[in-house]
Amino acid sequence: MVSKCLTLHVPPHPITPFLTPVAPFITPRLSYSSTRLSLPTKLKKAFPTPYNYSLPKHLTMKCSNSSNPISSPDLEFESDPTLTNEDLKPTAPSQRTFSGFEIASLWVGLVIGVPSYYLAGSLVDLGMAWWQGIATVVAANMILLVPLVLTGHAGTRYGISFPVLARSSFGIHGAHIPTLLRALIGCGWYGIESWIGGEAIFLLLPKSMKETSLSQSLPWLGTSPLEFACFLVFWVAQLAFVWKGIDGIRKLEKYSAPILVALTSCLLIWSCVKAGGIGHMLSLSSRLSTSEFWSVFFPSLTANISFWATVALNIPDFTRYAKSQKDQVIGQIGLPIFMGAFTFVGLAVTSSTKVIFGQVISNPIQLLGQIGGLTTRIIAILGISLAIITTNIAANVVAPANALVNLSPKWFTFRRGALLTALLGIAFQPWRLLKSSESFVYTWLVGYSALMGPIAGIVLADYYIIRKTNLNVSDLYSRSPYGAYRYSGGFNVAAIVALVIGILPVVPGFLQKVGIATSVPHTFVVIYNNAWFISFFSGGFLYLVLSNLRRKPGKSAVGDPLLPTAK
């Protein structure tokens, strides 16, 4: 088949629509094979225009009937240096290396971790039967799978990260608000997970060292110097993987997944052999009446959705590296299965400890201290350290690092952003947070879901309902006053108002939960227990209403005459 090549030298004109570059990664449905337009950038200087259209140096359009994302190595568009760098640019074809298996491996690495281990066990402690606890976890993740796949679509189609996608709905500067909120939560979790990893190292230390003065807690520090040193060792060890960038993270998740699955299987087999089967777990029946069950179920469902609500928000940070939409969907479908299977293991092993040791040990770190000899303990602790690292790096480093890069592309790179994330993880003092109360995790999870819910609702409403999945990629990187995402000085007031109003109804219930407010009307308690759902739908709906009021009749909110049709 003959490939056509056409070179045009055209002066810019305010009414010439094709001077706005077509968004990359879009596949025009044309009958002939390939058309290439080469537009020299000198034209921009020779023919200035008040509309300041950005001219691409090369605009390559590959024509096919494939639905896979397409990116051309020749595609370049002029972007503002304050809005982009190498880490924020759309991914090139050579960077699209994540297959469905590798995305599934990413989720295996995320799921197999300490918090997931005792998730269902915590629900059983609240009075649920074992199968009700697992069913609640699976149901929550099946619900979460919907926004995961929907948000991931933009990353794969356009090759953009979450901070860049957020510019579409919040504005090129307003996007800092949702990305920094997500980043702060990631920093907190990074510190918590790192502290748990440090506990695993502390467990390996000889008894003589644990009995020295170094193991005595210092009031000003809030922990002992020895435990803090173990925390720092684990903290530094993770940076070795982070320093290799997203490709290093991909390889870590890919090769760790089978190891983690094997070690989890060994733990389950060990507990079954020692306890004589899983009969003890199966005998755990519900201690709740019907009305009591539903009063526990909905806040538990919200907490489990919140567990991965942060990753559901910034999933484009990973799907932008997917080979196709099919790969990103197939890779994520396994989440409810992985979570259900691993919480089953956690519940089975935890219930068996009552038979084996005479007491229930729900903390896997403490359990490892009771298992076997030194060799077995070392293997087990290496396994749990690997589980913590794979979860922590993917879930709690990538999003904050990208948010910081988006905040100041001139200064921050992915590595610098990751380093600052790790430092902020120390500043959160996770040893104090974890020792505050047993209900910390649920207060933490449900509380921050009020922030994640409206952001997700706004981003999805903008991408699917307002823009019909069509984005002008060049405008996402432009500060031009005529850009589609400039709004009011770079801030979309409609999105910011919708975010604030989406959060406000949850605040009274949160204040009561943390003990600041003594009592609030029961309505606010119900709203808090369903924080993610209410904030998600209220934020998204209010954004649609405000956006429609803002748009003038007969005019497009995007203003790009060549937006591609949705596929």
Side-chain angles (χ1 to χ4, degrees), residues 142-441:
M142 289 182 69
I143 293 171
L144 190 65
L145 186 62
V146 177
L148 264 170
V149 172
L150 291 178
T151 311
H153 179 277
T156 303
R157 183 173 184 181
Y158 296 103
I160 55 177
S161 60
F162 169 65
V164 178
L165 174 61
R167 294 173 184 175
S168 170
S169 51
F170 283 85
I172 55 173
H173 299 315
H176 296 316
I177 297 172
T179 55
L180 290 177
L181 287 175
R182 168 65 181 95
L184 285 174
I185 295 169
C187 292
W189 267 117
Y190 185 88
I192 291 169
E193 294 273 9
S194 298
W195 179 257
I196 295 173
E199 286 184 327
I201 296 176
F202 181 79
L203 197 63
L204 275 176
L205 299 178
K207 188 177 180 180
S208 57
M209 185 176 292
K210 296 177 186 177
E211 294 175 349
T212 63
S213 58
L214 292 175
S215 62
Q216 302 299 315
S217 179
L218 300 177
W220 63 269
L221 183 61
T223 186
S224 69
L226 191 58
E227 288 177 296
F228 186 73
C230 292
F231 165 67
L232 289 181
V233 169
F234 194 85
W235 183 88
V236 171
Q238 293 177 102
L239 290 180
F241 296 99
V242 174
W243 212 248
K244 294 183 180 180
I246 196 70
D247 192 56
I249 295 173
R250 177 182 67 86
K251 291 179 180 178
L252 171 67
E253 302 290 344
K254 178 181 179 180
Y255 296 116
S256 297
I259 297 174
L260 293 174
V261 170
L263 291 174
T264 301
S265 301
C266 290
L267 182 62
L268 179 61
I269 293 171
W270 170 85
S271 66
C272 289
V273 171
K274 288 287 187 178
I278 59 174
H280 186 72
M281 183 194 76
L282 299 178
S283 66
L284 297 174
S285 58
S286 177
R287 305 188 305 273
L288 304 172
S289 65
T290 303
S291 60
E292 289 174 334
F293 170 78
W294 292 115
S295 65
V296 171
F297 172 76
F298 285 109
S300 299
L301 186 70
T302 301
N304 278 276
I305 288 175
S306 306
F307 198 76
W308 296 122
T310 49
V311 181
L313 201 60
N314 73 283
I315 194 65
D317 293 343
F318 300 102
T319 59
R320 66 191 295 227
Y321 297 98
K323 294 179 179 179
S324 67
Q325 292 290 357
K326 180 180 177 181
D327 285 299
Q328 77 101 353
V329 172
I330 291 176
Q332 298 199 83
I333 280 178
L335 172 61
I337 301 172
F338 301 149
M339 281 296 292
F342 191 67
T343 51
F344 172 83
V345 172
L347 192 55
V349 174
T350 300
S351 62
S352 70
T353 57
K354 177 68 174 178
V355 179
I356 301 171
F357 301 107
Q359 61 177 338
V360 175
I361 304 176
S362 59
N363 188 330
I365 302 294
Q366 295 176 0
L367 176 61
L368 294 178
Q370 304 290 330
I371 295 178
L374 181 61
T375 303
T376 305
R377 189 180 300 181
I378 290 174
I379 294 174
I381 289 178
L382 288 176
I384 205 166
S385 298
L386 183 62
I388 294 169
I389 290 174
T390 54
T391 300
N392 213 16
I393 291 177
N396 305 319
V397 171
V398 175
N402 283 336
L404 292 169
V405 171
N406 184 58
L407 183 64
S408 179
K410 283 186 175 181
W411 196 88
F412 279 109
T413 62
F414 181 84
R415 287 180 175 179
R416 288 181 178 180
L419 180 59
L420 182 56
T421 298
L423 290 171
L424 289 174
I426 299 176
F428 267 81
Q429 301 185 60
W431 52 91
R432 295 186 189 272
L433 294 176
L434 289 175
K435 290 178 180 178
S436 61
S437 69
E438 293 182 0
S439 63
F440 163 75
V441 172

Side-chain angles (χ1 to χ4, degrees), residues 457 461 536-546:
F536 176 87
F537 288 107
S538 62
F541 176 75
L542 185 58
Y543 175 72
L544 289 176
V545 172
L546 294 175

